[in-house]
Amino acid sequence: MKSLSIITLIAILTSCETRESSQKVSESSDKKFRPVYHFTPPSQWMNDPNGMVYYDGEYHLFYQHYPDSNVWGPMHWGHTVSTDLVSWEHLPIALYPDELGYIFSGSAVIDHENTSGLGSSENPPMIAIYTYHEPIGAKNKEIDYQTQGIAYSLDKGRTWTKYQENPVLANPGIRDFRDPKVSWMPEFEKWVMILAVKDHVNIYSSPDLKTWTKESEFGHEIGAHGGVWECPDLFKLTDQNGTEKWVMLVSINPGGPLGGSATQYFVGAFDGTTFTLSDEETRWIDHGTDNYAGVTWSNIPEQDGRRLFLGWMSNWQYANIVPTYEWRSAMTVPRELILRDTERGYEVHSKPVDELVKLEKQTVQPGSPEIREQVYLLTLETEPGKDFECTISNDLNEQVTIAFENGIFSFDRSKSGITDFEEGFGVKHEVDFSDLSIEKVKVYVDKASMEIFINDGQRVMTEIIFPNEPLVKINTSGAIKNAEVILLQ
Ligand code: FRU
Protein backbone atom coordinates (compact mmCIF):
# COMPACT_ATOMS: atom_id res chain seq x y z
CA MET A 1 0.00 0.00 0.00
CA LYS A 2 2.91 2.27 0.80
CA SER A 3 4.10 2.29 -2.81
CA LEU A 4 0.54 2.84 -4.03
CA SER A 5 0.39 6.18 -2.27
CA ILE A 6 3.79 7.14 -3.70
CA ILE A 7 2.50 6.27 -7.17
CA THR A 8 -0.55 8.43 -6.55
CA LEU A 9 1.72 11.25 -5.40
CA ILE A 10 3.85 10.96 -8.54
CA ALA A 11 0.66 11.01 -10.60
CA ILE A 12 -0.48 14.20 -8.89
CA LEU A 13 2.90 15.85 -9.32
CA THR A 14 3.02 14.88 -12.98
CA SER A 15 -0.42 16.31 -13.58
CA CYS A 16 0.61 19.57 -11.85
CA GLU A 17 3.61 19.79 -14.14
CA THR A 18 1.34 19.42 -17.13
CA ARG A 19 -1.42 21.69 -15.86
CA GLU A 20 0.13 24.55 -17.76
CA SER A 21 -0.34 22.78 -21.05
CA SER A 22 -3.89 21.70 -20.11
CA GLN A 23 -4.80 25.32 -19.41
CA LYS A 24 -3.85 26.41 -22.89
CA VAL A 25 -7.17 24.99 -24.00
CA SER A 26 -8.03 26.57 -27.29
CA GLU A 27 -11.77 26.62 -27.63
CA SER A 28 -11.58 25.75 -31.25
CA SER A 29 -9.12 22.86 -31.29
CA ASP A 30 -11.89 20.38 -30.61
CA LYS A 31 -14.02 21.76 -33.40
CA LYS A 32 -11.13 22.31 -35.77
CA PHE A 33 -9.16 19.12 -35.40
CA ARG A 34 -11.14 16.42 -33.66
CA PRO A 35 -11.64 13.68 -36.27
CA VAL A 36 -15.14 12.63 -37.21
CA TYR A 37 -14.62 8.94 -38.05
CA HIS A 38 -11.33 8.11 -36.34
CA PHE A 39 -11.31 6.98 -32.74
CA THR A 40 -10.20 9.61 -30.20
CA PRO A 41 -10.39 9.40 -26.38
CA PRO A 42 -13.27 11.28 -24.71
CA SER A 43 -10.70 13.71 -23.33
CA GLN A 44 -6.98 14.01 -22.51
CA TRP A 45 -4.07 11.84 -23.57
CA MET A 46 -4.03 8.62 -25.62
CA ASN A 47 -1.24 6.58 -27.18
CA ASP A 48 -0.95 2.92 -28.25
CA PRO A 49 -3.93 0.69 -29.06
CA ASN A 50 -4.04 -2.19 -26.54
CA GLY A 51 -5.95 -5.39 -25.88
CA MET A 52 -7.65 -5.57 -29.27
CA VAL A 53 -9.96 -8.57 -29.12
CA TYR A 54 -13.26 -9.50 -30.77
CA TYR A 55 -15.86 -11.13 -28.59
CA ASP A 56 -19.56 -11.81 -28.91
CA GLY A 57 -20.24 -9.26 -31.63
CA GLU A 58 -17.98 -6.53 -30.25
CA TYR A 59 -14.57 -5.29 -31.34
CA HIS A 60 -12.84 -4.22 -28.14
CA LEU A 61 -10.20 -1.54 -28.28
CA PHE A 62 -8.29 -0.59 -25.14
CA TYR A 63 -5.70 2.15 -25.27
CA GLN A 64 -2.87 3.80 -23.36
CA HIS A 65 -4.60 6.66 -21.59
CA TYR A 66 -3.82 9.34 -19.02
CA PRO A 67 -7.22 10.71 -17.99
CA ASP A 68 -5.84 13.63 -15.95
CA SER A 69 -3.78 15.44 -18.55
CA ASN A 70 -3.29 15.97 -22.26
CA VAL A 71 0.33 14.79 -22.13
CA TRP A 72 1.74 11.32 -21.38
CA GLY A 73 1.70 10.34 -17.69
CA PRO A 74 0.64 7.45 -15.42
CA MET A 75 -0.85 5.00 -17.86
CA HIS A 76 -4.33 3.46 -17.63
CA TRP A 77 -6.16 1.32 -20.15
CA GLY A 78 -9.04 3.31 -21.66
CA HIS A 79 -11.77 1.20 -23.29
CA THR A 80 -14.13 1.43 -26.24
CA VAL A 81 -16.19 -1.05 -28.26
CA SER A 82 -17.61 -1.13 -31.74
CA THR A 83 -19.92 -3.53 -33.50
CA ASP A 84 -18.86 -2.40 -36.98
CA LEU A 85 -15.32 -0.93 -36.73
CA VAL A 86 -16.80 2.41 -37.75
CA SER A 87 -18.54 3.91 -34.72
CA TRP A 88 -17.12 3.52 -31.24
CA GLU A 89 -18.85 3.61 -27.87
CA HIS A 90 -16.80 4.93 -24.95
CA LEU A 91 -16.71 2.68 -21.89
CA PRO A 92 -15.28 3.37 -18.42
CA ILE A 93 -11.54 3.02 -17.89
CA ALA A 94 -10.71 -0.70 -17.69
CA LEU A 95 -7.37 -0.83 -15.85
CA TYR A 96 -5.94 1.67 -13.35
CA PRO A 97 -2.33 1.85 -12.11
CA ASP A 98 -1.78 -0.11 -8.88
CA GLU A 99 1.04 -0.84 -6.45
CA LEU A 100 2.94 -2.76 -9.13
CA GLY A 101 2.99 0.26 -11.44
CA TYR A 102 1.42 2.00 -14.42
CA ILE A 103 -0.41 -0.16 -16.96
CA PHE A 104 1.65 -0.11 -20.17
CA SER A 105 0.79 -1.70 -23.50
CA GLY A 106 -0.37 -5.28 -23.97
CA SER A 107 -3.00 -7.52 -25.48
CA ALA A 108 -6.22 -9.36 -24.64
CA VAL A 109 -7.43 -12.86 -25.41
CA ILE A 110 -10.50 -15.01 -24.84
CA ASP A 111 -9.51 -18.07 -22.82
CA HIS A 112 -12.12 -20.34 -24.45
CA GLU A 113 -10.96 -23.51 -22.70
CA ASN A 114 -10.53 -21.73 -19.36
CA THR A 115 -6.89 -22.86 -19.26
CA SER A 116 -6.24 -20.14 -16.67
CA GLY A 117 -9.01 -21.34 -14.37
CA LEU A 118 -10.04 -17.69 -13.96
CA GLY A 119 -13.49 -18.22 -15.49
CA SER A 120 -15.40 -21.29 -16.57
CA SER A 121 -15.90 -23.04 -19.90
CA GLU A 122 -19.49 -21.71 -19.96
CA ASN A 123 -18.23 -18.20 -19.36
CA PRO A 124 -14.64 -18.03 -20.64
CA PRO A 125 -12.62 -15.18 -19.20
CA MET A 126 -11.38 -12.26 -21.26
CA ILE A 127 -7.77 -11.92 -20.14
CA ALA A 128 -5.59 -8.84 -20.52
CA ILE A 129 -1.82 -9.37 -20.53
CA TYR A 130 0.03 -6.09 -20.05
CA THR A 131 3.25 -4.51 -18.81
CA TYR A 132 3.61 -3.10 -15.33
CA HIS A 133 5.91 -0.09 -15.32
CA GLU A 134 6.90 0.69 -11.76
CA PRO A 135 7.63 4.45 -11.78
CA ILE A 136 9.83 4.71 -8.70
CA GLY A 137 12.22 2.03 -9.94
CA ALA A 138 12.19 3.76 -13.33
CA LYS A 139 13.01 7.12 -11.74
CA ASN A 140 15.85 5.56 -9.74
CA LYS A 141 17.23 4.01 -12.94
CA GLU A 142 16.86 0.48 -11.64
CA ILE A 143 16.87 -2.26 -14.26
CA ASP A 144 13.91 -4.45 -13.34
CA TYR A 145 10.92 -2.11 -13.15
CA GLN A 146 9.00 -3.54 -16.11
CA THR A 147 7.18 -6.85 -15.55
CA GLN A 148 4.15 -8.55 -17.09
CA GLY A 149 0.80 -8.89 -15.34
CA ILE A 150 -2.64 -10.23 -16.16
CA ALA A 151 -6.22 -9.20 -15.32
CA TYR A 152 -9.50 -10.90 -16.19
CA SER A 153 -13.08 -9.97 -16.95
CA LEU A 154 -16.12 -12.22 -16.78
CA ASP A 155 -18.56 -9.65 -18.14
CA LYS A 156 -17.31 -8.87 -21.66
CA GLY A 157 -14.62 -6.48 -20.54
CA ARG A 158 -16.91 -4.23 -18.48
CA THR A 159 -15.23 -4.91 -15.13
CA TRP A 160 -11.79 -6.26 -14.42
CA THR A 161 -9.98 -8.09 -11.62
CA LYS A 162 -6.21 -8.10 -11.44
CA TYR A 163 -4.68 -11.54 -10.88
CA GLN A 164 -3.53 -11.83 -7.28
CA GLU A 165 -0.18 -13.37 -8.03
CA ASN A 166 1.03 -10.73 -10.47
CA PRO A 167 3.51 -10.33 -11.99
CA VAL A 168 3.31 -13.49 -14.09
CA LEU A 169 6.60 -12.76 -15.83
CA ALA A 170 9.39 -11.23 -13.76
CA ASN A 171 12.04 -8.96 -15.18
CA PRO A 172 15.41 -10.64 -15.88
CA GLY A 173 17.33 -7.36 -15.44
CA ILE A 174 16.59 -5.54 -18.70
CA ARG A 175 15.11 -2.04 -18.62
CA ASP A 176 13.02 -2.28 -21.77
CA PHE A 177 10.94 -5.39 -21.25
CA ARG A 178 7.41 -4.77 -22.40
CA ASP A 179 4.30 -4.87 -24.61
CA PRO A 180 3.26 -8.57 -24.51
CA LYS A 181 1.17 -9.74 -27.47
CA VAL A 182 -0.38 -13.10 -26.65
CA SER A 183 -2.21 -15.55 -28.93
CA TRP A 184 -3.52 -19.07 -28.57
CA MET A 185 -1.77 -21.03 -31.34
CA PRO A 186 -3.86 -24.13 -31.99
CA GLU A 187 -1.14 -25.79 -34.12
CA PHE A 188 1.22 -25.77 -31.12
CA GLU A 189 -1.51 -26.14 -28.48
CA LYS A 190 -0.16 -23.38 -26.30
CA TRP A 191 -0.30 -19.68 -25.61
CA VAL A 192 2.53 -17.77 -27.28
CA MET A 193 3.74 -14.37 -26.11
CA ILE A 194 5.97 -12.07 -28.13
CA LEU A 195 7.61 -9.39 -26.01
CA ALA A 196 9.77 -6.37 -26.90
CA VAL A 197 13.13 -6.54 -25.14
CA LYS A 198 15.30 -3.49 -25.84
CA ASP A 199 16.78 -4.28 -29.29
CA HIS A 200 15.05 -7.60 -30.02
CA VAL A 201 11.97 -9.66 -29.16
CA ASN A 202 11.64 -12.65 -26.87
CA ILE A 203 9.15 -15.44 -27.48
CA TYR A 204 7.57 -17.24 -24.51
CA SER A 205 4.93 -19.95 -24.20
CA SER A 206 2.43 -20.95 -21.56
CA PRO A 207 -0.24 -23.61 -20.95
CA ASP A 208 -2.37 -21.31 -18.74
CA LEU A 209 -1.33 -17.63 -19.16
CA LYS A 210 0.10 -17.68 -15.64
CA THR A 211 3.42 -19.49 -16.05
CA TRP A 212 5.68 -18.61 -18.95
CA THR A 213 8.69 -20.40 -20.46
CA LYS A 214 11.18 -18.62 -22.67
CA GLU A 215 11.42 -20.19 -26.14
CA SER A 216 13.75 -17.96 -28.16
CA GLU A 217 15.00 -14.50 -29.11
CA PHE A 218 14.81 -12.79 -32.50
CA GLY A 219 16.17 -9.67 -34.10
CA HIS A 220 19.50 -8.80 -32.50
CA GLU A 221 21.12 -8.07 -35.83
CA ILE A 222 18.09 -8.01 -38.08
CA GLY A 223 15.92 -5.10 -39.15
CA ALA A 224 16.16 -1.47 -38.13
CA HIS A 225 17.95 -0.61 -34.89
CA GLY A 226 17.89 3.17 -34.64
CA GLY A 227 15.87 2.99 -31.42
CA VAL A 228 14.19 0.70 -28.94
CA TRP A 229 11.90 -2.11 -30.12
CA GLU A 230 8.28 -1.90 -28.92
CA CYS A 231 4.80 -3.35 -29.44
CA PRO A 232 5.47 -6.56 -31.40
CA ASP A 233 2.89 -8.92 -32.91
CA LEU A 234 3.17 -12.39 -34.49
CA PHE A 235 0.51 -14.05 -36.66
CA LYS A 236 -0.04 -16.16 -39.75
CA LEU A 237 -1.18 -14.87 -43.14
CA THR A 238 -1.89 -16.71 -46.40
CA ASP A 239 -0.72 -15.21 -49.70
CA GLN A 240 -2.62 -15.12 -53.01
CA ASN A 241 -1.31 -18.63 -53.89
CA GLY A 242 -2.41 -20.25 -50.65
CA THR A 243 1.07 -20.28 -49.06
CA GLU A 244 1.13 -19.64 -45.32
CA LYS A 245 3.75 -17.40 -43.77
CA TRP A 246 4.27 -15.89 -40.34
CA VAL A 247 4.41 -12.14 -40.03
CA MET A 248 6.09 -10.28 -37.19
CA LEU A 249 5.38 -6.60 -36.57
CA VAL A 250 7.87 -4.59 -34.52
CA SER A 251 7.54 -0.89 -33.78
CA ILE A 252 10.71 1.11 -33.29
CA ASN A 253 11.30 4.50 -31.68
CA PRO A 254 13.24 6.46 -32.81
CA GLY A 255 14.74 5.01 -35.99
CA GLY A 256 11.82 5.28 -38.42
CA PRO A 257 12.82 6.07 -42.04
CA LEU A 258 11.42 9.63 -41.80
CA GLY A 259 12.53 10.20 -38.21
CA GLY A 260 10.87 9.30 -34.93
CA SER A 261 8.61 6.28 -34.65
CA ALA A 262 7.61 3.69 -37.26
CA THR A 263 6.61 0.03 -37.56
CA GLN A 264 8.69 -2.55 -39.41
CA TYR A 265 7.68 -6.09 -40.29
CA PHE A 266 9.33 -9.39 -41.04
CA VAL A 267 7.95 -12.35 -43.01
CA GLY A 268 9.11 -15.85 -42.19
CA ALA A 269 8.34 -19.17 -40.51
CA PHE A 270 7.51 -20.04 -36.91
CA ASP A 271 7.63 -23.54 -35.43
CA GLY A 272 6.22 -22.75 -31.99
CA THR A 273 9.71 -21.99 -30.69
CA THR A 274 11.75 -20.02 -33.20
CA PHE A 275 10.98 -17.43 -35.86
CA THR A 276 13.11 -17.64 -39.03
CA LEU A 277 13.14 -15.09 -41.84
CA SER A 278 12.15 -15.54 -45.49
CA ASP A 279 14.40 -12.64 -46.50
CA GLU A 280 16.37 -9.97 -44.71
CA GLU A 281 14.76 -6.89 -46.23
CA THR A 282 13.60 -4.27 -43.69
CA ARG A 283 10.06 -3.39 -44.63
CA TRP A 284 7.70 -0.79 -43.18
CA ILE A 285 4.01 -1.29 -42.62
CA ASP A 286 3.39 2.41 -43.38
CA HIS A 287 5.64 4.93 -45.15
CA GLY A 288 4.29 8.05 -43.44
CA THR A 289 5.26 9.46 -40.07
CA ASP A 290 2.06 8.82 -38.16
CA ASN A 291 1.20 5.20 -37.68
CA TYR A 292 2.86 3.72 -34.61
CA ALA A 293 2.49 0.82 -32.18
CA GLY A 294 -0.11 -0.85 -34.41
CA VAL A 295 -1.08 -4.45 -33.68
CA THR A 296 -3.90 -6.79 -34.70
CA TRP A 297 -7.19 -8.02 -33.24
CA SER A 298 -7.32 -11.47 -31.69
CA ASN A 299 -10.24 -13.91 -31.76
CA ILE A 300 -11.67 -12.76 -35.11
CA PRO A 301 -14.15 -15.49 -36.13
CA GLU A 302 -12.82 -18.01 -38.65
CA GLN A 303 -15.64 -17.30 -41.11
CA ASP A 304 -14.44 -13.67 -41.21
CA GLY A 305 -10.78 -14.68 -41.38
CA ARG A 306 -9.34 -11.18 -41.74
CA ARG A 307 -6.25 -9.97 -39.88
CA LEU A 308 -7.38 -6.55 -38.68
CA PHE A 309 -4.89 -3.87 -37.70
CA LEU A 310 -5.06 -0.41 -36.20
CA GLY A 311 -2.27 1.96 -35.17
CA TRP A 312 -1.79 5.10 -33.12
CA MET A 313 -1.86 8.06 -35.53
CA SER A 314 1.03 10.02 -34.09
CA ASN A 315 4.78 10.00 -33.60
CA TRP A 316 6.75 10.28 -30.35
CA GLN A 317 8.75 13.07 -31.97
CA TYR A 318 5.86 15.49 -31.38
CA ALA A 319 2.91 13.53 -29.93
CA ASN A 320 2.91 15.48 -26.64
CA ILE A 321 2.85 18.91 -28.29
CA VAL A 322 0.50 18.70 -31.26
CA PRO A 323 -1.96 21.64 -31.19
CA THR A 324 -4.98 19.84 -29.77
CA TYR A 325 -5.76 20.37 -26.12
CA GLU A 326 -9.08 18.82 -25.12
CA TRP A 327 -7.72 15.48 -26.27
CA ARG A 328 -4.49 14.25 -27.84
CA SER A 329 -4.20 11.72 -30.65
CA ALA A 330 -6.40 9.55 -32.78
CA MET A 331 -6.13 5.98 -34.06
CA THR A 332 -5.76 5.13 -37.77
CA VAL A 333 -8.75 3.69 -39.57
CA PRO A 334 -8.90 -0.09 -39.08
CA ARG A 335 -7.05 -1.88 -41.87
CA GLU A 336 -6.95 -5.40 -43.19
CA LEU A 337 -3.43 -6.81 -43.54
CA ILE A 338 -2.94 -8.85 -46.70
CA LEU A 339 0.09 -10.97 -47.67
CA ARG A 340 1.31 -10.85 -51.27
CA ASP A 341 4.08 -12.80 -52.92
CA THR A 342 5.61 -10.20 -55.26
CA GLU A 343 8.73 -9.88 -57.40
CA ARG A 344 10.14 -7.88 -54.49
CA GLY A 345 9.53 -10.73 -52.04
CA TYR A 346 6.70 -11.16 -49.55
CA GLU A 347 4.92 -7.91 -48.77
CA VAL A 348 2.20 -7.05 -46.28
CA HIS A 349 -0.37 -4.68 -47.75
CA SER A 350 -2.87 -2.62 -45.73
CA LYS A 351 -6.38 -2.16 -47.06
CA PRO A 352 -8.91 0.09 -45.30
CA VAL A 353 -11.62 -2.24 -43.96
CA ASP A 354 -14.70 -2.66 -46.17
CA GLU A 355 -16.92 -1.47 -43.33
CA LEU A 356 -15.76 2.12 -44.02
CA VAL A 357 -18.15 2.15 -47.00
CA LYS A 358 -20.81 2.92 -44.39
CA LEU A 359 -19.32 6.41 -44.06
CA GLU A 360 -19.89 7.31 -47.70
CA LYS A 361 -22.56 9.96 -48.27
CA GLN A 362 -22.29 11.49 -51.68
CA THR A 363 -19.89 11.52 -54.65
CA VAL A 364 -18.91 14.92 -56.01
CA GLN A 365 -16.25 16.34 -58.30
CA PRO A 366 -13.20 18.23 -57.00
CA GLY A 367 -14.15 21.90 -57.06
CA SER A 368 -17.70 21.21 -55.91
CA PRO A 369 -19.00 23.73 -53.34
CA GLU A 370 -20.41 20.71 -51.48
CA ILE A 371 -16.90 20.02 -50.15
CA ARG A 372 -17.01 22.20 -47.07
CA GLU A 373 -15.68 19.97 -44.34
CA GLN A 374 -12.31 18.32 -44.44
CA VAL A 375 -13.97 14.93 -44.07
CA TYR A 376 -13.89 13.01 -47.35
CA LEU A 377 -12.36 10.26 -49.41
CA LEU A 378 -10.39 11.45 -52.42
CA THR A 379 -9.70 8.94 -55.18
CA LEU A 380 -7.18 9.60 -57.93
CA GLU A 381 -6.76 7.34 -60.95
CA THR A 382 -3.38 7.74 -62.57
CA GLU A 383 -1.50 6.59 -65.63
CA PRO A 384 0.97 4.00 -64.34
CA GLY A 385 4.59 5.07 -64.28
CA LYS A 386 3.90 8.73 -65.03
CA ASP A 387 4.37 11.77 -62.79
CA PHE A 388 1.43 13.52 -61.16
CA GLU A 389 0.63 16.08 -58.50
CA CYS A 390 -2.40 16.86 -56.36
CA THR A 391 -2.55 19.97 -54.20
CA ILE A 392 -5.23 20.34 -51.57
CA SER A 393 -5.58 23.84 -50.15
CA ASN A 394 -7.76 26.48 -48.44
CA ASP A 395 -8.28 30.25 -48.80
CA LEU A 396 -5.48 30.94 -46.31
CA ASN A 397 -3.02 29.46 -48.80
CA GLU A 398 -2.41 26.53 -46.53
CA GLN A 399 -1.93 23.32 -48.49
CA VAL A 400 -0.61 19.83 -48.73
CA THR A 401 0.80 18.32 -51.91
CA ILE A 402 0.74 14.65 -52.82
CA ALA A 403 3.05 13.98 -55.74
CA PHE A 404 4.88 11.32 -57.72
CA GLU A 405 7.95 12.47 -59.63
CA ASN A 406 10.82 10.42 -61.05
CA GLY A 407 9.90 7.45 -58.90
CA ILE A 408 9.69 9.50 -55.70
CA PHE A 409 6.35 9.66 -53.95
CA SER A 410 5.94 12.62 -51.62
CA PHE A 411 3.64 14.22 -49.10
CA ASP A 412 4.49 17.86 -48.45
CA ARG A 413 3.05 19.29 -45.23
CA SER A 414 5.43 22.25 -44.98
CA LYS A 415 2.58 24.74 -45.61
CA SER A 416 -0.19 22.66 -44.06
CA GLY A 417 -1.22 25.13 -41.32
CA ILE A 418 0.08 24.93 -37.76
CA THR A 419 3.52 23.35 -38.05
CA ASP A 420 5.72 25.39 -35.72
CA PHE A 421 5.16 23.30 -32.58
CA GLU A 422 8.07 21.08 -33.68
CA GLU A 423 10.95 21.81 -35.96
CA GLY A 424 10.78 18.62 -37.99
CA PHE A 425 7.01 18.58 -38.46
CA GLY A 426 6.50 20.97 -41.38
CA VAL A 427 8.53 19.19 -44.02
CA LYS A 428 8.14 17.25 -47.26
CA HIS A 429 8.27 13.49 -46.81
CA GLU A 430 9.74 11.54 -49.71
CA VAL A 431 9.77 7.80 -50.35
CA ASP A 432 11.26 5.86 -53.23
CA PHE A 433 8.34 4.09 -54.92
CA SER A 434 10.08 3.66 -58.29
CA ASP A 435 9.31 -0.06 -58.10
CA LEU A 436 5.57 0.59 -58.18
CA SER A 437 3.14 0.98 -61.01
CA ILE A 438 0.76 3.46 -59.41
CA GLU A 439 -2.78 3.19 -60.74
CA LYS A 440 -4.94 4.36 -57.90
CA VAL A 441 -4.45 6.61 -54.88
CA LYS A 442 -7.12 6.75 -52.19
CA VAL A 443 -6.85 9.39 -49.49
CA TYR A 444 -8.98 9.17 -46.36
CA VAL A 445 -9.15 12.74 -45.05
CA ASP A 446 -10.50 13.53 -41.59
CA LYS A 447 -9.90 16.99 -40.06
CA ALA A 448 -6.34 16.44 -38.85
CA SER A 449 -5.13 13.49 -40.91
CA MET A 450 -4.64 12.04 -44.36
CA GLU A 451 -4.19 8.31 -44.90
CA ILE A 452 -2.95 7.56 -48.40
CA PHE A 453 -3.52 4.06 -49.80
CA ILE A 454 -1.73 3.33 -53.07
CA ASN A 455 -3.12 0.59 -55.34
CA ASP A 456 -5.57 -0.68 -52.72
CA GLY A 457 -3.01 -0.71 -49.96
CA GLN A 458 0.14 -1.91 -51.71
CA ARG A 459 1.83 1.02 -49.95
CA VAL A 460 0.42 3.32 -47.29
CA MET A 461 1.38 6.75 -46.01
CA THR A 462 -0.31 8.14 -42.90
CA GLU A 463 0.23 11.78 -42.02
CA ILE A 464 -1.32 14.21 -39.53
CA ILE A 465 -1.87 17.92 -40.30
CA PHE A 466 -3.34 20.97 -38.57
CA PRO A 467 -4.74 23.45 -41.10
CA ASN A 468 -6.49 26.55 -39.72
CA GLU A 469 -9.35 26.11 -42.15
CA PRO A 470 -10.50 22.97 -43.94
CA LEU A 471 -8.41 21.93 -46.95
CA VAL A 472 -11.13 21.58 -49.56
CA LYS A 473 -9.74 22.97 -52.83
CA ILE A 474 -8.38 20.08 -54.87
CA ASN A 475 -6.14 20.70 -57.89
CA THR A 476 -4.60 17.96 -59.95
CA SER A 477 -1.99 17.93 -62.70
CA GLY A 478 0.12 15.44 -64.64
CA ALA A 479 -0.95 11.85 -65.14
CA ILE A 480 -4.19 11.97 -63.15
CA LYS A 481 -6.94 10.53 -65.37
CA ASN A 482 -9.77 10.95 -62.95
CA ALA A 483 -10.37 12.49 -59.54
CA GLU A 484 -13.42 11.94 -57.38
CA VAL A 485 -14.46 13.01 -53.91
CA ILE A 486 -16.80 11.06 -51.66
CA LEU A 487 -18.13 13.07 -48.74
CA LEU A 488 -17.95 11.10 -45.51
CA GLN A 489 -19.59 11.38 -42.16
C1 FRU B 1 4.97 2.64 -27.34
C2 FRU B 1 5.15 2.63 -25.83
C3 FRU B 1 5.19 1.20 -25.32
C4 FRU B 1 4.78 1.36 -23.89
C5 FRU B 1 3.78 2.49 -23.96
C6 FRU B 1 3.78 3.40 -22.78
O1 FRU B 1 4.40 3.80 -27.83
O2 FRU B 1 6.34 3.31 -25.51
O3 FRU B 1 6.42 0.55 -25.50
O4 FRU B 1 4.23 0.19 -23.35
O5 FRU B 1 4.08 3.22 -25.13
O6 FRU B 1 2.73 4.29 -22.82
Side-chain angles (χ1 to χ4, degrees):
M1 270 332 263
K2 193 161 163 260
S3 54
L4 176 60
S5 56
I6 295 174
I7 288 179
T8 314
L9 187 65
I10 292 184
I12 292 165
L13 289 176
T14 322
S15 70
C16 288
E17 272 168 30
T18 58
R19 186 80 25 100
E20 201 200 329
S21 132
S22 304
Q23 270 171 0
K24 275 196 260 162
V25 169
S26 122
E27 267 159 43
S28 57
S29 96
D30 215 31
K31 203 165 150 250
K32 237 156 74 175
F33 300 133
R34 195 184 284 254
V36 172
Y37 58 91
H38 288 79
F39 178 75
T40 52
S43 64
Q44 308 290 26
W45 172 265
M46 172 178 83
N47 57 296
D48 312 356
N50 294 151
M52 290 149 65
V53 61
Y54 178 85
Y55 190 46
D56 216 4
E58 292 177 326
Y59 297 91
H60 290 261
L61 168 62
F62 301 85
Y63 52 92
Q64 289 285 279
H65 184 38
Y66 183 23
D68 297 325
S69 174
N70 60 13
V71 295
W72 189 90
M75 285 291 112
H76 301 54
W77 272 28
H79 188 195
T80 178
V81 287
S82 173
T83 53
D84 61 2
L85 292 169
V86 176
S87 54
W88 295 92
E89 178 193 345
H90 291 297
L91 291 178
I93 289 174
L95 298 174
Y96 285 79
D98 62 39
E99 61 272 23
L100 293 178
Y102 302 164
I103 315 293
F104 270 21
S105 288
S107 46
V109 295
I110 305 301
D111 182 11
H112 289 286
E113 304 295 324
N114 193 31
T115 60
S116 62
L118 296 170
S120 60
S121 33
E122 301 78 58
N123 187 20
M126 180 183 286
I127 302 196
I129 309 97
Y130 54 87
T131 298
Y132 271 120
H133 173 94
E134 199 282 295
I136 300 157
K139 200 161 173 256
N140 294 337
K141 303 224 174 334
E142 284 161 18
I143 50 172
D144 57 355
Y145 53 82
Q146 293 191 339
T147 58
Q148 319 314 317
I150 63 175
Y152 60 98
S153 168
L154 301 175
D155 56 1
K156 299 186 187 175
R158 268 49 180 190
T159 60
W160 289 85
T161 308
K162 304 238 178 74
Y163 178 54
Q164 287 212 328
E165 287 169 53
N166 276 337
V168 293
L169 181 59
N171 187 303
I174 303 172
R175 273 200 189 99
D176 297 297
F177 189 71
R178 59 176 177 269
D179 308 339
K181 178 75 187 338
V182 174
S183 317
W184 174 257
M185 296 194 177
E187 54 278 74
F188 311 121
E189 292 185 352
K190 59 187 183 184
W191 296 102
V192 172
M193 175 198 290
I194 178 163
L195 188 77
V197 185
K198 196 177 161 191
D199 59 351
H200 63 279
V201 295
N202 281 1
I203 293 172
Y204 298 85
S205 70
S206 171
D208 58 7
L209 297 162
K210 297 185 215 162
T211 48
W212 292 94
T213 307
K214 185 169 163 189
E215 299 282 354
S216 62
E217 300 186 359
F218 171 83
H220 286 275
E221 268 146 39
I222 292 160
H225 281 282
V228 72
W229 282 25
E230 301 184 313
C231 301
D233 198 352
L234 180 64
F235 49 85
K236 230 169 22 185
L237 285 182
T238 305
D239 75 3
Q240 73 272 31
N241 308 315
T243 306
E244 274 187 353
K245 290 277 167 191
W246 287 82
V247 174
M248 186 188 289
L249 306 180
V250 178
S251 284
I252 177 172
N253 178 57
L258 297 170
S261 343
T263 301
Q264 55 187 325
Y265 69 89
F266 306 99
V267 180
F270 181 59
D271 61 5
T273 298
T274 313
F275 180 82
T276 37
L277 278 179
S278 288
D279 67 54
E280 296 228 347
E281 190 82 12
T282 302
R283 297 192 165 89
W284 302 95
I285 210 81
D286 194 305
H287 295 266
T289 39
D290 300 296
N291 175 2
Y292 191 61
V295 285
T296 64
W297 261 278
S298 70
N299 205 45
I300 295 293
E302 242 168 65
Q303 61 276 24
D304 178 323
R306 290 176 298 173
R307 188 43 70 169
L308 299 171
F309 167 101
L310 175 134
W312 172 45
M313 201 154 52
S314 195
N315 188 313
W316 281 117
Q317 203 172 308
Y318 40 70
N320 276 287
I321 50 170
V322 295
T324 71
Y325 302 100
E326 296 87 344
W327 91 102
R328 270 221 175 91
S329 303
M331 297 299 180
T332 65
V333 290
R335 303 167 182 190
E336 180 185 354
L337 298 185
I338 294 168
L339 183 69
R340 285 278 174 270
D341 186 5
T342 75
E343 61 239 28
R344 299 169 295 272
Y346 281 100
E347 288 183 351
V348 176
H349 297 172
S350 298
K351 191 165 102 43
V353 293
D354 292 342
E355 284 88 336
L356 294 178
V357 168
K358 273 193 169 181
L359 295 165
E360 300 184 3
K361 280 201 306 195
Q362 186 192 349
T363 304
V364 296
Q365 291 308 303
S368 158
E370 302 274 352
I371 317 173
R372 285 184 293 266
E373 290 289 327
Q374 196 183 302
V375 184
Y376 53 85
L377 168 61
L378 168 66
T379 306
L380 308 172
E381 278 172 53
T382 65
E383 283 173 51
K386 298 211 178 131
D387 295 354
F388 61 84
E389 190 172 285
C390 175
T391 297
I392 313 175
S393 60
N394 62 20
D395 287 335
L396 303 173
N397 277 332
E398 296 171 342
Q399 63 176 58
V400 300
T401 303
I402 298 167
F404 182 67
E405 196 183 352
N406 296 328
I408 303 295
F409 190 86
S410 63
F411 184 86
D412 186 350
R413 63 180 180 188
S414 58
K415 296 185 218 123
S416 59
I418 307 173
T419 59
D420 60 358
F421 52 90
E422 204 264 341
E423 214 187 322
F425 184 84
V427 297
K428 180 175 177 183
H429 293 140
E430 296 185 320
V431 207
D432 185 349
F433 284 168
S434 50
D435 54 346
L436 287 196
S437 171
I438 301 181
E439 287 168 33
K440 193 160 26 143
V441 180
K442 272 186 159 193
V443 190
Y444 276 89
V445 183
D446 190 2
K447 299 275 183 126
S449 62
M450 293 200 177
E451 288 165 279
I452 306 170
F453 296 89
I454 297 175
N455 295 347
D456 288 323
Q458 193 177 7
R459 299 283 160 84
V460 189
M461 211 167 171
T462 301
E463 301 268 338
I464 56 173
I465 43 165
F466 301 97
N468 284 299
E469 277 182 12
L471 299 176
V472 291
K473 297 203 295 188
I474 300 162
N475 281 299
T476 60
S477 61
I480 296 178
K481 289 193 292 193
N482 189 32
E484 189 179 271
V485 175
I486 302 178
L487 306 179
L488 303 177
Q489 64 171 12

